Amino acid sequence: MDFRFTEDEQMIIDAVRELGEEELAPHASEVAEKGEFPYDAVELCREMDLFGIPVEEQWGGLGMGFLMWGTVGELLSYYCQTTGSVFGAHVLGQYPIMAFGTDEQKEKYLAPLTTGEHIGAFGLTEPNAGSDAGSVATRAELHGDRYILNGTKIFISNGGVAQTYVIIANLDPRKGTRGLTAFIVEKGMPGFEFGKDEKKMGWDALPNRELIFQDCEVPVENVLYKPGRGFRVAMDTLGVGRIGMAVGAVGLAQAAFDAAILYAQQREQFGQKIAEFQAIQFMLADMATDIEASRLLYQKAAWLKDQGEAFEMIASMAKVYSSEAVNRVTSQAVQIHGGVGYTCDFPVERYMRDAKLFEIVEGTSEIQRGIISNRLLREHRI
């Protein structure tokens, strides 16, 4: 495995660091506090062609793959967690069209997602179908040259803001996962409306909207891949999404660590910097180790994806480890800050609240451990 970057890739990475330091970081706390979608930051990402990083050049992308995409996503999440999360959620609407779309679908939908002209989103989760994807109740019925969608999706990141949605609906609930089908749905299609935007423990500026379909007409040419193959689309997309969750977790953990190590070298107690106490030093060592291990796991998963090799188990490992690591790291960052860490005067309290989400979305830690153990037992069957 080689995680080194080309000269062109390194130029983009350096440019993203500059963008983060000059434009994103100074406004990150304000964006989170106001709870407003970061349109300005998204526009800056669009101007730098960041949304096109993993997309083939044929469709207007940079063709740099998912290792590069992850590295840029980590930096965005480091400087502004909201911008990083929007960037990560966008690929969930983009990737399935990249992987399963026809040339016509790519021309119509992938191209504007690649330039950032359109934002993407992915709709799988429902009130009674989260980890259990086979229980999707949103129905799709074929009527002539159109499918009629009825149902509700919840917790959809970028919901309401995105223009292009990949929606998983059920053609025949009796068939379980074999009845699932993926559709490309456009914002503004008759019968497609937005409901509640969840008020959450953290991530106030990231929309997580309810999607409501009431006799929504979707042309047959908007079926993604094949009817009845939506489960395959969903699982492949979630695999990439789990890399994205690890990417975001590492960016957030690194931000918390940097805040903690800076504070530890400034704060004095008992006549010395608290960084000189072994208790603090050991906490910093554990935090740095967690971050490095998490980063290497997502890099390996992304590298395998770029090589066209099986990456799903490593992606689950990256997701479960990094999501639990970021909770440890942010909690320790608050602890190092002491009383002020629990106040809103320092960002570590927000980091700690934001961290919890990583253990839940894109498959809980329990689901990831199930995926990993099932794969291991298949590989080592006696």
Side-chain angles (χ1 to χ4, degrees), residues 113-128:
L113 289 169
T114 298
T115 62
E117 177 185 353
H118 288 177
I119 296 297
F122 178 67
L124 172 64
T125 305
E126 299 180 358
N128 294 310

Side-chain angles (χ1 to χ4, degrees), residues 34-279:
K34 287 186 175 180
E36 297 176 356
F37 188 81
Y39 286 104
D40 291 343
V42 170
E43 177 61 20
L44 291 170
C45 292
R46 188 192 70 78
E47 292 174 359
M48 293 179 63
D49 289 333
L50 300 185
F51 295 112
I53 286 173
V55 183
E56 295 177 351
E57 294 181 16
Q58 178 183 356
W59 305 109
L62 300 181
M64 291 182 172
F66 283 93
L67 179 58
M68 178 64 177
W69 171 81
T71 301
V72 168
E74 180 190 332
L75 286 172
L76 293 176
S77 296
Y78 173 80
Y79 290 110
C80 176
Q81 289 72 48
T82 303
T83 304
S85 63
V86 171
F87 181 79
H90 172 82
V91 84
L92 296 179
Q94 184 183 47
Y95 172 76
I97 303 175
M98 289 170 53
F100 298 100
T102 63
D103 286 352
E104 292 76 16
Q105 289 171 338
K106 291 178 180 179
E107 184 68 35
K108 184 175 182 180
Y109 295 108
L110 182 59
L113 289 169
T114 298
T115 62
E117 177 185 353
H118 288 177
I119 296 297
F122 178 67
L124 172 64
T125 305
E126 299 180 358
N128 294 310
S131 299
D132 182 9
S135 295
V136 165
T138 296
R139 289 299 308 276
E141 296 181 353
L142 180 62
H143 291 266
D145 62 350
R146 294 182 178 273
Y147 284 91
I148 307 300
L149 270 59
N150 282 284
T152 301
K153 301 291 183 179
I154 59 172
F155 306 148
I156 306 305
S157 298
N158 289 350
V161 175
Q163 291 84 10
T164 304
Y165 298 77
V166 173
I167 302 298
I168 305 298
N170 208 329
L171 287 177
D172 188 349
R174 295 171 300 178
K175 295 183 178 180
T177 58
R178 294 180 181 275
L180 301 183
T181 301
F183 298 88
I184 303 173
V185 182
E186 300 175 45
K187 182 179 183 178
M189 280 183 168
F192 178 24
E193 303 291 341
F194 302 107
K196 179 184 179 183
D197 188 2
E198 299 292 340
K199 183 172 177 59
K200 306 178 294 294
M201 179 170 133
W203 302 100
D204 293 325
L206 175 67
N208 291 99
R209 292 288 292 274
E210 183 180 42
L211 312 182
I212 301 170
F213 302 95
Q214 294 182 327
D215 294 330
C216 177
E217 298 185 6
V218 181
V220 291
E221 56 265 28
N222 281 35
V223 170
L224 195 56
Y225 196 23
K226 299 176 183 178
R229 299 301 298 274
F231 187 72
R232 164 77 185 281
V233 175
M235 292 303 102
D236 275 26
T237 301
L238 289 176
V240 171
R242 285 161 186 159
I243 298 175
M245 294 307 297
V247 164
V250 170
L252 178 59
Q254 188 69 59
F257 173 82
D258 286 356
I261 198 168
L262 177 63
Y263 186 81
Q265 294 177 88
Q266 294 174 336
R267 173 69 167 167
E268 290 189 7
Q269 288 287 276
F270 303 102
Q272 61 184 15
K273 308 292 186 184
I274 64 171
E276 296 177 24
F277 292 104
Q278 190 178 65

Side-chain angles (χ1 to χ4, degrees), residues 244-319:
M245 294 307 297
V247 164
V250 170
L252 178 59
Q254 188 69 59
F257 173 82
D258 286 356
I261 198 168
L262 177 63
Y263 186 81
Q265 294 177 88
Q266 294 174 336
R267 173 69 167 167
E268 290 189 7
Q269 288 287 276
F270 303 102
Q272 61 184 15
K273 308 292 186 184
I274 64 171
E276 296 177 24
F277 292 104
Q278 190 178 65
I280 301 298
Q281 293 171 356
F282 281 9
M283 290 172 69
L284 293 171
D286 288 343
M287 294 161 76
T289 302
D290 263 342
I291 294 168
E292 190 66 14
S294 298
R295 180 178 289 118
L296 288 169
L297 275 169
Y298 94 62
Q299 287 178 329
K300 181 176 181 179
W303 182 86
L304 287 170
K305 174 63 178 169
D306 287 339
Q307 306 310 306
E309 299 183 24
F311 71 98
E312 292 82 3
M313 184 176 74
I314 302 299
S316 286
M317 288 179 174
K319 199 275 181 183

